Amino acid sequence: MAGKVSLATVDDIPDLVEIFWEAFNGPGEIVFPHTDGGRKWLQRSFENFLGQKSYYRPETKVAVVRNLNSRPVALAIAHVVRPGQSIAGRSWETRWSRCEDIPGVSEEKLAEFFEPLGRAHYLVVGKEGHVFIELIMTKATSRGRGYASALVGWVTKLADSLDIPCYLDAGMRGLGICDRCGFKAQDIEIRYGGPPPCTPMLRSKSRKQ
């Protein structure tokens, strides 16, 4: 059913790469190049997300909304972060993938993208267990249909079922969705040393009766 949230499979990876590339076109191509090497790195990263669980990285869920042809048109990458698990520094390499063997993919550029976000993230949640919504993206032709809200709602239900908070970094376009889903902006500017690259948002764990 179109609009229903489900989990991605390895067969979806080609479509997931295309959704990702559309979201990071133009200036984003400096970090995530639209090349054979860039495709290889993303494919490896999605295989990492969808593969076997590892003690050394958070458990990752890739949730998608499919069209009437059952092809993904929107996705969310969410991680279940255990207490004490690293979310800052070079932790992105264990969540995503290393790239030193892939020509044209810059470890320096990836670090410049992920590590400032990771620093803001750590200032908000520290070493507390939580669900981390790292990215949400929708194909341009499928926007305005509530898919991003459905994906955020799916992940927050996961966090509630685990009785842990949920964190994400919001851009201006996503602030309304985050607010409606119970996220609150976190003021870390003084501790961060200036404005963070995105707005850190936290949804407290549900208060179960």
Side-chain angles (χ1 to χ4, degrees):
M1 179 185 298
K4 182 179 179 180
V5 178
S6 61
L7 289 173
T9 71
V10 292
D11 292 335
D12 294 320
I13 289 177
D15 285 323
L16 302 181
V17 171
E18 294 304 320
I19 296 170
F20 192 100
W21 271 358
E22 183 182 297
F24 285 98
N25 62 6
E29 295 177 41
I30 296 172
V31 181
F32 305 107
H34 295 194
T35 62
D36 288 343
R39 183 181 296 275
K40 181 178 180 180
W41 182 79
L42 279 174
Q43 287 175 332
R44 183 187 291 176
S45 295
F46 279 113
E47 288 168 358
N48 202 27
F49 295 151
L50 300 173
Q52 292 184 330
K53 297 178 184 179
S54 170
Y55 175 80
Y56 298 101
R57 64 174 184 265
E59 178 185 355
T60 300
K61 308 283 187 182
V62 181
V64 297
V65 175
R66 302 176 186 276
N67 62 16
L68 291 172
N69 296 318
S70 297
R71 296 184 65 175
V73 292
L75 69 89
I77 300 171
H79 312 282
V80 180
V81 182
R82 296 188 300 273
Q85 205 161 36
S86 176
I87 51 170
R90 303 198 70 83
S91 64
W92 62 268
E93 291 181 323
T94 59
R95 291 196 310 276
W96 291 74
S97 175
R98 300 185 69 86
C99 64
E100 67 273 7
D101 61 329
I102 303 179
V105 179
S106 169
E107 183 175 345
E108 180 181 0
K109 294 297 183 185
L110 289 168
E112 288 174 358
F113 176 82
F114 285 114
E115 291 178 19
L117 293 168
R119 180 165 169 257
H121 185 174
Y122 183 80
L123 286 173
V124 174
V125 297
K127 296 182 178 180
E128 182 179 6
H130 63 285
V131 173
F132 169 32
I133 304 177
E134 187 155 25
L135 288 171
I136 293 179
M137 49 193 69
T138 303
K139 287 182 69 68
T141 53
S142 296
R143 290 176 188 159
R145 303 180 187 180
Y147 294 167
S149 294
L151 288 164
V152 173
W154 186 91
V155 180
T156 56
K157 286 181 181 177
L158 171 64
D160 288 347
S161 72
L162 298 171
D163 196 27
I164 55 179
C166 192
Y167 174 91
L168 58 77
D169 298 292
M172 289 299 297
R173 191 167 60 185
L175 287 174
I177 294 173
C178 296
D179 185 63
R180 289 192 297 272
C181 290
F183 288 85
K184 302 298 181 186
Q186 305 297 301
D187 184 1
I188 62 166
E189 189 167 333
I190 294 176
R191 289 184 294 150
Y192 192 84
C198 291
T199 301
M201 306 282 286
L202 187 69
R203 181 180 183 271
S204 299
K205 65 180 181 179
S206 62
R207 295 180 179 179
K208 295 185 176 181
Q209 300 299 321

